[in-house]
Amino acid sequence: MRKQQTIGTWRGVSIEAVAWDSVMANVDLSFACMFTHEMNAGLTGGLRHLHEAMAGKLTRLRREGFFRGDLLETLLVDRPPAAIAARAVMVIGMGEPLVWTTAVSARTAAAAVRTAVQRCAASAAFAPSLLDAGLTSKSTECAACGMMIAVMDAIDAHVHVSSLELAPELPLRRWVFDVGEAHFDEVARQFDEAFASHQDAAP
């Protein structure tokens, strides 16, 4: 049984943590993050699964310079191979791994929410891909908090714009953070604490 935890509901959006990756995520739009290069010998985990599902074209595009992985650069795959469960996949650039901070992942998560809303996706999943790039669990232990707050704030922003009758109502109904099986319990706890804290602080 795949690990799964509902963190809470925010402005009508169910926010969850699920032990799957961008290939397995059965959603309208699946996001994966990718740096300009990896800290180790190559792709691992979910990024490797995505690379393999795309028949090696992911790193080929990066190697050839068509998608470099620069910060907030995007690559949309709206005709994903059959091995990918999502209706579409977007890879978001994370820049240089050596200068990564938790703020980078927060910005990327917020950008993913905005893109999901712009594409009228009812469900979306987000894979931070930090450990897949070779970053350590110690260096990334505070990332979950920043990503959760960024997602909640991005949802708030659209709800406010919609209230001004400048945009349609929020189409998003389900947001999933992809979490690796090995670190699921700890990361899900961090998401849960960040959600509760930000919820309590909200007006």
Side-chain angles (χ1 to χ4, degrees):
M1 180 69 71
R2 182 178 294 123
K3 288 188 175 182
Q4 181 172 349
Q5 180 176 324
T6 298
I7 307 300
T9 300
W10 187 250
R11 313 304 189 208
V13 181
S14 173
I15 300 179
E16 307 167 21
V18 179
W20 61 15
D21 58 30
S22 54
V23 172
M24 298 182 285
N26 187 11
V27 292
D28 292 332
L29 183 54
S30 178
F31 293 93
C33 298
M34 190 174 190
F35 289 94
T36 56
H37 63 276
E38 286 68 55
M39 300 282 287
N40 46 30
L43 299 176
T44 62
L47 270 182
R48 181 177 178 180
H49 296 160
L50 181 60
H51 174 68
E52 292 172 347
M54 292 174 61
K57 296 173 184 176
L58 183 56
T59 57
R60 174 184 171 182
L61 287 168
R62 188 178 63 177
R63 185 172 61 252
E64 294 176 346
F66 295 104
F67 173 77
R68 298 178 299 276
D70 293 337
L71 184 59
L72 298 182
E73 182 184 9
T74 57
L75 170 67
L76 177 64
V77 180
D78 56 5
R79 294 183 180 179
I84 296 175
R87 266 62 78 196
V89 174
M90 177 171 280
V91 184
I92 305 181
M94 295 278 281
E96 292 282 343
L98 289 173
V99 297
W100 174 87
T101 65
T102 56
V104 170
S105 288
R107 289 182 62 191
T108 307
V113 171
R114 292 192 296 269
T115 300
V117 170
Q118 290 162 3
R119 288 184 60 84
C120 296
S123 59
F126 180 80
S129 311
L130 299 175
L131 301 183
D132 295 348
L135 298 179
T136 66
S137 56
K138 178 66 175 176
S139 67
T140 61
E141 62 183 2
C142 297
C145 178
M147 288 188 290
M148 176 61 76
I149 292 171
V151 165
M152 295 170 76
D153 285 348
I155 291 171
D156 277 347
H158 183 85
V159 169
H160 182 66
V161 173
S162 177
S163 74
L164 299 176
E165 300 183 349
L166 296 174
E169 291 187 1
L170 185 71
L172 193 62
R173 289 293 173 262
R174 185 187 185 208
W175 177 269
V176 180
F177 284 106
D178 301 350
V179 180
E181 182 84 25
H183 303 90
F184 184 88
D185 293 339
E186 174 59 23
V187 175
R189 181 191 63 78
Q190 293 175 26
F191 279 132
D192 189 62
E193 289 180 356
F195 179 89
S197 176
H198 202 54
Q199 183 181 47
D200 291 342

